[in-house]
Amino acid sequence: MSLNFDALLAGPVGLTIQAHTQSNDLDLPVLSGSVTEILALCNGAECDARELGKKLERDQSLAGHVLHVSNSAAYAPNEPIVSLSQATARLGFSTICEIAIAVSVKGKVFDVPGFDSTLSALWTHAAVSGFYAKEVARTLRKNVEGAFLCGLLHGVGKPVALQLLVDAWSEADVDEHLDDEIAEAMMNQFGGTFGGVLLGKWDFAPWIQAAVEFCHDADSAGPFREQAMMTGLASHLASWALGNSDETAESLSEMKIVADLEIYEKDFESLLAIKDSVLETARAFQ
Amino acid sequence: MSSEEFELIVIGGGPAGHKAAIQGAKAGKRVLLVDLQQAVGGECVHRGTIPSKTLRETALGLWGTSRLAPKLFESGITGGVKVESLMRNLDAVRDAHADFMSEQLSRNGIERWRGRARFSGEHEVTVRGPDRGERTATGERILIATGSRPRLPDNIPVDHEHILDSDSILSLIYLPSSLTVVGSGVIACEFATIFAALGVDVTIVDKYERPLAFMDPELIDCFLKSFESMGGTFLPNRTIEKVEWDGLTAVVTSLDTGEVIRSEKMFVAQGRIACVGDLNLEVAGVEVSNRGTVVVDEFCQSSAPHIYAAGDAIGPPALAAASMEQGRRAALHAFGLPVPEEAGTLPVGIYTIPEMASVGITEEQAIAEHGSAVVGRSKFEELARGQICGDTEGMLKLVADPSGTQLLGAHIVGQGATELIHIAQMAIQAKTSIDVFVDSIFNFPTMAEGFRVAAIKIVQARPAELRKVG
Ligand SMILES: Cc1cc2nc3c(=O)[nH]c(=O)nc-3n(C[C@H](O)[C@H](O)[C@H](O)COP(=O)(O)OP(=O)(O)OC[C@H]3O[C@@H](n4cnc5c(N)ncnc54)[C@H](O)[C@@H]3O)c2cc1C
């Protein structure tokens, strides 16, 4: 890396970034109208399959993705799923909802021109974290609903941070090439905070916001410390499962977060043992 | 690996272990307390009594208000309500309780290790932490107080998502519109009524004829009436054939009668099993019953004389207060200190809505033991306080000996039952005459007046030569 990230933050690029962060002036993506409607419908007391099918039909890209995911190995259909109502019936409202969020977030947020491979890797990591988060919750005999979204969205602030860096970079007219290491440093520094801000804007529950924002700093998550730790552990497990980190099964099992969550050996080994099925399920979301 | 020496090792820091450790330390012994969790208090504080009662308190408040001011709740209180928001003060309650218990341990100089304990010798316990670190301790005396966990039936796929147990139900993120409850024991009935009071459409399914069969049948009649008035359904004498999540919106439960129940969630409460399987008890020569509990005598001493067990690990009554007392008695006996006589009465409190409580013997038992019994009842609707609170279904029932002078049992359903029962407990323990209730002045308006009303009825029903009306 030719430019040191700290030095960068002290220069013009940093000033632009600071100006945006301090004034809360972030260019935050919005969820598409159809996703918002689907979320409202699924969360409503009278959720109706036909109604949901109609909403899906109106968003062609979403509809296509739902069909694609329903036919993937993760949901192992006995026969090909050809219609949206069939998909809704097979997958259930909450899964459709999760798919809708995933598809929308992927398209709206995980899209920074010039960083396709970085973001594609981030997205894969997000999906694996989502499925691992469910399993971590199950292991702890906590309700697994909601855990998926925490895992899936825990890195949602990173592309926002990256986009801000790209914009600040071009505003400051820096000659140097914006390399991956700087991009990485930026995402690590601001990803958590921006994630919390973004989910706040999207009206996600406070505990989901906190779990995302503080997944790697659970002590700051106040009453949502446990959810933050569960999300953080899911993220580590995902990195390990994808071979993105130097972690080994042993070093993972010795992490403080595992002890803090009081996951004992046998349970932790079970979490490691389901790696392949988690990867397979998550593939559906790519 | 060198082993640290202690005079008492306590495995499990719930009510039983906590009390035993304190008692051991008070006797001047060097005590080690081992628990899987850093936080003190056991299942009781973290997943059992305290969280469920906190949720209940909120439900009770809302339900009480909805009865007194129905207009406020015309549209109901379900639909997107987060269970967590109903337990808003849970963290504070739990932390306060755990801090208090933890402070007691420190004050008494009790050493604490976090980890999973297992016997590695008759007197030796190996503790493996969640960080995989291992330590060994040797104990002159050892107490097993490892508690219990929910029993998960083979034919019901508990996934903690749609089908929950008493651990995962506490982290539900919203109130479901409907709930099938499997089982009709204490935990099943408590949660069933809490959710029914919150407006959830609850169905209890059980293989037995009546719920909570160990309670006085009249209390259960009131309980069922009240549950049904909240919109609940009790389906007795049913066996579950199959349970599955339909992948869409409902847990589908097929019964042996051919009935099919669809509900948004299911709560499974079919008893608990003692957490003794991982302890390697064979090494220590500790006998385990065929129900999976540690076999102990009246002093909680196991088949290995230096090893004791208390609390849920030894089976019923599996209540917090009983566990504490067992832990205390075990520690006293272990060090040859005088053990007080076992309390003659053990009150039972069931935190359903409305709550129920009982002490002493039932009318049926009194007749079996004494040939006959004199019974007095007081309906809460006849009490000013009952009317004020809107508690018109509650009642208090006193059971006296055939002469109508000695109180043998009391059974209460309705507001304040779990508190009121202690008046009867004291009377039974002190062997006071029924007349004390008649001659005493009770505050007005209170539910406690019910004691006087019921006692007068007993006096009136006495054999003529003993009759005296208050
Ligand atoms: C939902 C619910 C509601 C309840 N409501 C009431 C109520 O209203 N009133 C009432 O009186 N009772 C109630 N109970 C019952 C009460 O909680 C129990 O009877 C009580 O907690 C038993 O205390 P204990 O000390 O035996 O075990 P627990 O409280 O279960 O504690 C056992 C401890 O042992 C530890 N442990 C287990 N295995 C090991 C090991 N190998 N090594 C180290 N540590 C270990 C565990 O981590 C735990 O901390 C309720 C229970 C539940 C589940």
Side-chain angles (χ1 to χ4, degrees), chain B residues 212-406:
Chain B
L212 302 163
F214 60 95
M215 294 298 279
D216 185 289
E218 285 179 56
L219 264 54
I220 301 305
D221 290 342
C222 290
F223 163 77
L224 282 174
K225 204 168 135 208
S226 165
F227 178 57
E228 277 157 17
S229 75
M230 290 193 266
T233 308
F234 176 63
L235 297 180
N237 305 319
R238 309 288 206 281
T239 305
I240 289 184
E241 297 212 316
K242 196 171 172 199
V243 174
E244 59 183 349
W245 165 245
D246 75 350
L248 186 57
T249 50
V251 177
V252 183
T253 310
S254 311
L255 306 177
D256 57 344
T257 49
E259 291 156 294
V260 174
I261 308 167
R262 298 177 66 83
S263 61
E264 193 176 344
K265 300 277 175 197
M266 168 177 275
F267 170 54
V268 182
Q270 291 211 300
R272 300 184 59 88
I273 44 175
C275 300
V276 296
D278 289 339
L279 289 172
N280 207 19
L281 291 178
E282 316 77 68
V283 170
V286 173
E287 193 191 333
V288 174
S289 74
N290 53 12
R291 302 194 63 195
T293 53
V294 179
V295 178
V296 291
D297 66 11
E298 69 205 285
F299 300 110
C300 297
Q301 193 169 23
S302 79
S303 52
H306 65 290
I307 300 177
Y308 289 73
D312 285 13
I314 62 170
L319 291 170
S323 303
M324 290 180 212
E325 184 56 12
Q326 289 162 357
R328 197 172 73 90
R329 290 170 63 79
L332 288 171
H333 190 264
F335 295 109
L337 296 165
V339 184
E341 252 186 59
E342 258 185 290
T345 55
L346 177 69
V348 175
I350 300 182
Y351 294 85
T352 39
I353 298 178
E355 64 194 53
M356 290 183 268
S358 173
V359 70
I361 56 177
T362 60
E363 184 181 354
E364 226 176 16
Q365 288 166 325
I367 294 170
E369 280 177 33
H370 300 267
S372 66
V374 186
V375 172
R377 296 177 184 78
S378 164
K379 293 199 164 157
F380 284 6
E381 66 183 351
E382 293 160 3
L383 303 175
R385 185 60 182 252
Q387 284 297 335
I388 293 167
C389 300
D391 185 342
T392 47
E393 284 137 18
M395 74 118 179
L396 180 151
K397 174 177 173 183
L398 298 182
V399 179
D401 67 342
S403 69
T405 51
Q406 200 71 53

Side-chain angles (χ1 to χ4, degrees), chain A residues 88-93 134 138 140-145 207 223 253 258-259 262-266 268, chain B residues 36-38 47 84 114-115 128 130 132 159-161 164 167-168 171-174 247-249 265:
Chain A
T88 313
R90 250 203 72 81
L91 302 185
F93 292 120
K134 274 185 141 177
R138 220 186 298 278
L140 290 169
R141 305 204 303 279
K142 298 275 169 189
N143 192 298
V144 303
E145 275 179 306
W207 63 272
S253 73
V258 178
E262 291 168 332
I263 302 183
Y264 281 81
E265 219 159 351
K266 236 200 286 174
F268 197 71
Chain B
L36 291 165
Q37 303 173 45
Q38 189 65 43
R47 298 184 195 253
E84 171 223 287
R114 177 173 64 157
R128 194 162 163 82
R132 315 308 184 236
D159 59 6
H160 305 295
E161 190 168 3
L164 310 157
D167 290 343
S168 46
S171 52
L172 256 185
I173 50 181
Y174 54 86
L248 186 57
T249 50
K265 300 277 175 197

Side-chain angles (χ1 to χ4, degrees), chain B residues 450-470:
Chain B
F451 278 105
R452 190 158 186 273
V453 174
I456 289 173
K457 290 183 181 161
I458 289 180
V459 169
Q460 287 169 340
R462 268 178 190 165
E465 65 278 14
L466 293 166
R467 202 168 301 157
K468 166 196 157 190
V469 180

Side-chain angles (χ1 to χ4, degrees), chain B residues 165-178:
Chain B
D165 66 11
S166 63
D167 290 343
S168 46
I169 198 159
L170 292 166
S171 52
L172 256 185
I173 50 181
Y174 54 86
L175 272 184
S177 55
S178 53

Side-chain angles (χ1 to χ4, degrees), chain A residues 27 31 52 61 71 80 137 142 147 150 156 170 173 177 249 257 259:
Chain A
D27 187 12
L31 282 181
L52 183 59
S61 126
N71 278 302
K142 298 275 169 189
C150 291
V156 78
S170 80
D173 212 5
H177 168 68
I257 197 170

